[in-house]
Amino acid sequence: MELLRAIVQHEPTSICETARLVDRDVSQVHRNLIELEELHLIDLVEEGGAKRPVVWYDAIVINLPLVEPIVDSDESNV
C-alpha cells in the first residue's frame, strides 16, 4: 500500500526515485514493484534507461473473507 500511495501521490520517474520516496532499499522496492506488476496493480513503463511505475486508478476495493462460509448440510448434498 505504501508503494502504491507513493506512486499515485508523487508520480516517480523511476524505481530508484520510488525507493527514495519510501526510504527503502532499491532492490527490495524493485522486487515489490515486479510483484505488483505481476498482480496487474501497476505498469512499469520503460522510458530511456529507467522503468517508471504507473498506477492508473484512485482506489482499490478488496473483498477478502476471513472465515469460511457456512454451508447448509442440505445444500452440500445437491
Side-chain angles (χ1 to χ4, degrees), residues 2 8 12 15 22-23 26 34 46 50-51 54 59 61 64 67 70 74 77-78:
E2 177 187 31
V8 169
I15 292 173
V22 295
D23 193 30
V26 174
I34 294 296
E46 289 202 37
K51 289 187 178 181
V54 176
V61 177
L64 181 63
V67 294
I70 298 173
D74 291 338
N77 295 329
V78 175

Side-chain angles (χ1 to χ4, degrees), residues 29-45:
V29 169
H30 179 265
R31 183 174 51 252
N32 293 152
L33 292 176
I34 294 296
E35 291 167 349
L36 289 171
E37 183 181 41
E38 289 171 354
L39 293 168
H40 305 286
L41 293 172
I42 68 165
D43 284 331
L44 289 173
V45 179

